[in-house]
Amino acid sequence: MIRDEARPTLEDVAAHAGVSRSTASRALNEESYVSARARERVLDSARELGYSPNQAARSLVTRRTNAVALVLSEPETKFLEDPYFAEIVRGAFRQLSALGSQMLMMLVDSEEDIPGTVRFLDGGHVDGALIFASHQADQLPAALRPLRLPMVYGGGRPGGAIRGLHLVDFDNTGGAKLAVEHLQSLGRKRIGSVTGPQDQRSAVDRRTGWQQTLGLSDRAAARLAEEGDFTTEGGEQAMQRLLARVPNLDAVFVANDPMAAGALRALQTAGRRVPEDVALIGFDDHPGLAEATNPPLTTVHQDPREQVRQMVATLHQLIDGDTPPPRRRVLPVRLVRRASA
């Protein structure tokens, strides 16, 4: 075996700093029982010598992998088409990288992927996981429940009677209320909605906010709403169905920006001017989409980067052994006014 004689060892660092090998090890692993002065000497020596610890050996001591899993329980097609998930992945990578953790992304495309996902997460490969599993029928949260791995959930509450979760969500009901109140302030009277899939908590909450703000009965809400699938094509098709049933509507609240772009296309194809004939509001304020439509979308702004920042901060508390009480943290949203309403 060829050995790189120029590579400094832990013993070299200890000798250079004038401390024992065990003291140098504790200082580099940020353990207690090391004086501030000794720790400073060890760190200075490590920098001066260019010492880089062997990560595999260090993991055996600290039982840390310095890796975190980002688990997205969504069909592959939905993940690729929804800009919200692109922001989540980008934000998680940046936040974890800043804290010295590697991000490992896992996509749970169907129920068949759940056993393998659970085995991997339970296998000591990562220090914790950020979980996005907002479909109410999703079996992943229940399957993960027995694991001792630190986990934080993002988005709507998972289905089933699972308690004690750390979860960071947005005020979806309040965001829908902001949208409807703005449409009412414009004098709009027949305000329909293109909702998201009703097996998803965020979509349910946005529909609820729309319905409650208008004071609609369930029967009236059923007539004025059409369910989409959070995709542009789904939004266009839902808008076509809604127009066929309620041709005289003068405003629409759409549950996300891709569907709002599709609804806009359907309205324009039907000869309805936006906003003159029909005012239109989306949800997300995605930077690559909301301002790119013609006219630009009025939409409810949410910040996935802040969601991920809070999730990562909570996860690192759990990884470090702190025990913050389980809670559902709800982040505020705001209305961004543009030409569509």
Side-chain angles (χ1 to χ4, degrees):
M1 180 177 69
I2 299 175
R3 181 185 174 197
D4 183 0
E5 299 293 344
R7 179 169 179 162
T9 65
L10 180 60
E11 288 78 6
D12 296 329
V13 174
H16 189 276
V19 299
S20 67
R21 185 186 188 282
S22 60
T23 296
S25 177
R26 287 196 298 271
L28 291 169
N29 287 315
E30 300 180 359
E31 297 178 15
S32 55
Y33 308 113
V34 179
S35 69
R37 184 177 179 183
R39 188 187 307 276
E40 184 177 355
R41 289 206 309 270
V42 170
L43 294 178
D44 286 344
S45 295
R47 281 192 292 268
E48 185 174 339
L49 295 174
Y51 172 75
S52 177
N54 182 291
Q55 185 58 48
R58 184 175 180 179
S59 295
L60 292 174
V61 175
T62 64
R63 298 189 178 182
R64 294 281 187 88
T65 65
N66 288 332
V68 168
L70 173 63
V71 183
L72 302 170
S73 188
E74 290 288 344
E76 179 184 350
T77 53
K78 170 72 180 301
F79 165 71
L80 293 173
E81 292 177 2
D82 194 331
Y84 168 73
F85 291 114
E87 291 298 304
I88 289 295
V89 172
R90 189 177 295 113
F93 172 77
R94 289 174 179 169
Q95 289 293 324
L96 292 169
S97 179
L99 293 171
S101 292
Q102 294 294 319
M103 185 186 82
L104 189 154
M105 194 176 79
M106 304 182 70
L107 190 63
V108 182
D109 183 68
S110 66
E111 288 189 8
E112 286 72 24
D113 296 330
I114 292 177
T117 301
V118 173
R119 285 195 300 271
F120 182 87
L121 293 177
D122 197 33
H125 305 292
V126 293
D127 298 325
L130 306 169
I131 312 289
F132 287 82
S134 59
H135 295 275
Q136 296 184 67
D138 197 332
Q139 299 301 307
L140 179 64
L144 294 177
R145 182 65 174 166
L147 272 58
R148 298 176 63 88
L149 184 75
M151 290 178 283
V152 179
Y153 282 78
R157 297 180 296 279
I162 299 176
R163 298 181 179 179
L165 297 179
H166 296 274
L167 189 147
V168 183
D169 197 5
F170 292 105
D171 185 4
N172 292 293
T173 303
K177 182 174 185 288
L178 289 174
V180 174
E181 288 178 342
H182 177 62
L183 292 170
Q184 290 174 322
S185 75
L186 299 176
R188 306 296 169 142
K189 303 297 184 183
R190 294 172 298 280
I191 304 173
S193 181
V194 174
T195 76
Q198 294 300 288
D199 72 328
Q200 217 164 323
R201 175 55 61 181
S202 62
V204 171
D205 289 346
R206 292 171 194 179
R207 178 186 168 119
T208 298
W210 163 78
Q211 180 176 346
Q212 289 180 345
T213 306
L214 288 174
L216 298 173
S217 66
D218 289 345
R219 181 176 180 179
R223 181 174 183 274
L224 285 170
E226 273 292 335
E227 183 175 331
D229 60 1
F230 277 156
T231 68
T232 302
E233 292 74 15
E236 182 176 13
Q237 293 166 8
M239 188 71 249
Q240 290 170 345
R241 295 193 299 270
L242 185 57
L243 272 178
R245 188 167 65 250
V246 192
N248 63 339
L249 58 78
D250 59 8
V252 186
F253 165 60
V254 186
N256 80 341
D257 285 351
M259 287 199 305
L264 175 62
R265 189 162 61 198
L267 288 166
Q268 292 172 335
T269 300
R272 306 299 173 87
R273 297 171 301 164
V274 177
E276 292 85 356
D277 300 327
V278 181
L280 180 69
I281 295 182
F283 202 116
D284 284 337
D285 193 25
H286 187 270
L289 180 60
E291 293 185 272
T293 60
N294 184 24
L297 284 175
T298 293
T299 183
V300 178
H301 176 85
Q302 62 181 8
D303 189 353
R305 294 168 299 179
E306 177 61 18
Q307 180 185 27
V308 171
R309 188 191 70 78
Q310 295 208 25
M311 291 175 66
V312 170
T314 300
L315 184 64
H316 270 263
Q317 280 186 283
L318 296 170
I319 292 172
D320 289 339
D322 296 339
T323 55
R327 60 178 294 197
R328 177 175 178 253
R329 194 169 304 165
V330 179
L331 303 180
V333 297
R334 59 185 173 85
L335 187 71
V336 177
R337 297 176 60 175
R338 298 191 181 95
S340 73

